[in-house]
Amino acid sequence: MHDDLMRRIDSYLAENTPDLDGVTLVRECRTALALRTLQASLLEQRIEDLRASHMRARIALQDLMTKHQDTLRYMHRDT
């Protein structure tokens, strides 16, 4: 996987940045890597936020189901 990724990066850079010197190329790569790392971090945070939201929704649903069962028991207590 790593070798394939490196070949793809090399190919992309050769096609799209033929006029850059080594220092500029390294700077561009570091910037791109930093942006990808930031994107990954933001996605991880979003996933955690969605998990927490999902858990809160499950708890709320369980609470509603319990209240519904209590209401049904209350309504049928005299029958």
Side-chain angles (χ1 to χ4, degrees):
M1 163 111 174
H2 181 264
D3 291 336
D4 181 51
L5 178 61
M6 294 309 291
R7 276 191 296 276
R8 289 174 58 200
I9 290 171
D10 288 343
S11 174
Y12 174 83
L13 291 174
E15 291 173 12
N16 296 293
T17 59
D19 56 336
L20 294 181
D21 63 31
V23 173
T24 304
L25 188 56
V26 168
R27 204 173 289 137
E28 291 291 321
C29 288
R30 286 183 179 163
T31 301
L33 179 59
L35 288 172
R36 293 290 185 216
T37 302
L38 177 61
Q39 286 176 328
S41 177
L42 291 172
L43 285 172
E44 287 173 356
Q45 182 59 50
R46 181 68 179 134
I47 288 168
E48 288 303 314
D49 291 347
L50 288 170
R51 283 185 179 143
S53 177
H54 178 253
M55 185 58 66
R56 286 190 303 273
R58 286 185 68 180
I59 291 169
L61 178 60
Q62 288 172 342
D63 186 44
L64 284 172
M65 290 172 64
T66 300
K67 288 178 182 178
H68 175 69
Q69 290 296 325
D70 291 346
T71 300
L72 289 176
R73 278 193 287 278
Y74 178 79
M75 289 174 57
H76 295 335
R77 75 183 188 329
D78 294 332
T79 57

